[in-house]
Amino acid sequence: MPTRFVRRGLWGLGALALVLVLVTSLRALRMESRQVAPTDSVVVRAAADAPRRLARALRFRTVTKRDPAALDSAAYRGLYRYLESAFPAVHRTLDTAHVHGLSRLYTWRGRAPAKAPVVLMAHTDVVPLEPGTRQDWTHDPFGGTIADGHVWGRGALDDKASVVAVLEALSTMIENGMRPDRTVHVAIGHDEEVGGTRGAKALAARVTDGGPSPALVVDEGGAITKGALPGLERPLAVVGIAEKGYLSVELEATAPGGHSSAPPDSTSIQILNAALTRLLDRPLPARLDGVMGRTLAYVAPEVGWPMRLALANQWLTGPALTWALSQEPATEAAIRTVQAPTRLDAGVKDNVIPTSARATINYRILPSQSVDEVLRHLRSTIDDLPVRIETGQTSAPTPVSSIDGRPFRVLQRTIREVTSDSVVVAPYLVPGATDSRYYADATDHVYRFLPYTLSPDDRGLIHGTNEHIAIDDYRTMVRFYVQLLRNADALPDRTGGGGQEASGPATSR
């Protein structure tokens, strides 16, 4: 009898396992690709000397400053004078408005001005060099050098390449007798690296004042990656559809000071260290829903087994996927509100115990959470410690842009037309902030993407040493903007906040 029951139990477990295999396999097999088929339209090529114009623009030291009065305004004006001479057709054809002196709004009136406009964004300001790194640059960071198939210099990736590529694309269109149906606004800010409050914010107010909501807003923020997700061998183009929120908090611990030869049981540094340790040991929970869930939904049909099986059955594999994604900083940032201590300050002398110790923690917040929710978590985690909490700069996560309507599909198709139909295009959560957030209340169709390729090692070039862009990638950027404006003519006449326009072209493998 016991043997018979054991056998029946084993048969039951085997049958259950078989059903589980069949169900999970069927779910994986039934997934359909969400990629949009490129068309056979002829892609306009960039001019042969286009990289030289980018190189020249990199020579202007438009370094950002938080204090507007401290900016080298002559460098910005010199850059704009150069752009006027480099792209005369653009400056003859488009209307140009100066905003707060150093930002520019170019407007190309379409044949059908009542249609919702397209907004292309970029910024001229660049970050300064990190002190002590000048000698580590292979080429002069402000030399605009062309060497080894690349253009080298501060701003080559972030973000003068966008500025010059947009103008190069418009010039190419004008010279080829093209004119868009809908109006195109080119919003070039001058203070993106310090928040865009004078540049992009004012530009967005002008663009959205009284007119139809933009059909499409495109800014920096996503790129083409390789090896970003296990199981995906094809290049992955990630298009930012939302940005994480921002919160900085200062923690201050106080305790009696004195001479280090007779230390008390608990010093301000020890209290602060206990608070930081506890916060880092108890992060906010990771989540696979939200934007990351949409990323995985777009990637899942394009990967091989067994990853496809895992992605198709997150009800079963969710904990394992969460663990795997948490092992890399880039993917963990996509599924969690992350925290990082960024500043420490305590003490004045090595034999004096400080009475106070301070630390700053920076949070990047998922769109599904809020600044207040993060603060509640922080306070509840260290509420029994004698630590003062002071809130610093805050910015809420942006709304999540629509991926269900034609604007996103037009962007998908354009990317694959100017790169390759082997590229997988997927939505993405931008961990930082861009100027595009100033359009989030005006339209559901704000996207962040530039068609250059960034390997994991290349990500450090942005704001880092030896910033450079491949000439082939830069030419692709120019083609991208031309093709995007051509494809944008097929968008609905008006796209409001809901993204409910008619469905787009059929998808394909």
Side-chain angles (χ1 to χ4, degrees), residues 166-498:
V166 170
L167 298 179
E168 191 79 50
L170 298 181
S171 181
T172 300
M173 294 180 71
I174 294 168
E175 291 169 2
N176 283 273
M178 301 178 188
R179 183 184 176 189
D181 277 348
R182 61 186 69 244
T183 294
V184 177
H185 297 292
V186 179
I188 299 179
H190 73 278
D191 60 347
E192 190 272 349
E193 299 292 358
V194 291
T197 54
R198 290 176 58 82
K201 187 175 183 179
L203 290 165
R206 289 202 181 200
V207 169
T208 59
D209 184 22
S213 297
L216 187 67
V217 177
V218 178
D219 196 8
E220 61 175 337
I224 300 173
T225 65
K226 294 181 179 178
L229 291 173
L232 181 64
E233 297 180 358
R234 295 155 61 187
L236 175 65
V238 289
V239 178
I241 62 171
E243 297 175 6
K244 299 184 82 171
Y246 184 101
L247 167 66
S248 280
V249 176
E250 183 177 90
L251 308 180
E252 183 179 21
T254 57
H259 199 282
S260 61
S261 61
D265 291 337
S266 182
T267 68
S268 61
I269 291 178
Q270 289 171 302
I271 296 170
L272 182 64
N273 180 61
L276 291 174
T277 299
R278 192 180 297 178
L279 287 169
L280 293 175
D281 286 344
R282 303 177 191 176
L284 281 97
R287 306 182 60 163
L288 284 182
D289 58 358
V291 176
M292 189 57 178
R294 300 176 197 189
T295 304
L296 297 178
Y298 273 70
V299 170
E302 317 304 329
V303 299
W305 298 75
M307 183 54 65
R308 181 170 180 168
L309 191 68
L311 294 180
N313 295 279
Q314 293 181 36
W315 58 275
L316 179 64
T317 61
L321 287 172
T322 300
W323 178 86
L325 292 170
S326 297
Q327 302 311 299
E328 292 292 335
T331 50
E332 183 180 31
I335 62 173
R336 190 191 303 276
T337 291
V338 294
Q339 55 187 350
T342 55
R343 298 181 65 185
L344 289 169
D345 182 24
V348 294
K349 198 170 184 290
D350 56 1
N351 64 345
V352 176
I353 296 172
T355 58
S356 69
R358 292 172 297 279
T360 299
I361 303 181
N362 184 247
Y363 289 85
R364 299 303 175 108
I365 306 169
L366 289 175
S368 57
Q369 295 172 329
S370 67
V371 171
D372 287 342
E373 185 177 346
V374 175
L375 285 171
R376 286 195 297 271
H377 168 81
L378 186 153
R379 292 184 177 117
S380 65
T381 302
I382 60 172
D383 61 353
D384 61 326
L385 295 175
V387 175
R388 181 184 61 84
I389 301 171
E390 182 175 335
T391 302
Q393 183 180 349
T394 67
S395 177
T398 69
V400 179
S401 293
S402 170
I403 58 174
D404 297 325
R406 261 191 278 172
F408 186 74
R409 286 193 285 273
V410 162
L411 191 55
Q412 273 189 294
R413 187 171 77 244
T414 302
I415 293 169
R416 302 186 84 205
E417 286 172 346
V418 301
T419 55
S420 166
D421 60 7
S422 68
V423 171
V424 176
V425 183
Y428 160 73
L429 177 60
V430 178
T434 72
D435 278 344
S436 65
R437 65 190 181 278
Y438 294 112
Y439 294 85
D441 291 335
T443 177
D444 281 349
H445 308 296
V446 179
Y447 306 108
R448 303 137 180 106
F449 176 78
L450 292 174
Y452 51 60
T453 300
L454 286 181
S455 69
D457 293 337
D458 291 336
R459 295 188 189 115
L461 296 176
I462 298 176
H463 290 191
T465 300
N466 279 327
E467 184 176 354
H468 59 274
I469 186 171
I471 290 175
D472 287 345
D473 279 350
Y474 180 67
R475 294 188 186 281
T476 300
M477 288 178 65
V478 177
R479 295 197 304 270
F480 168 75
Y481 287 121
V482 173
Q483 194 72 358
L484 180 63
L485 293 182
R486 295 172 70 192
N487 290 341
D489 283 344
L491 290 173
D493 288 354
R494 289 180 180 272
T495 55

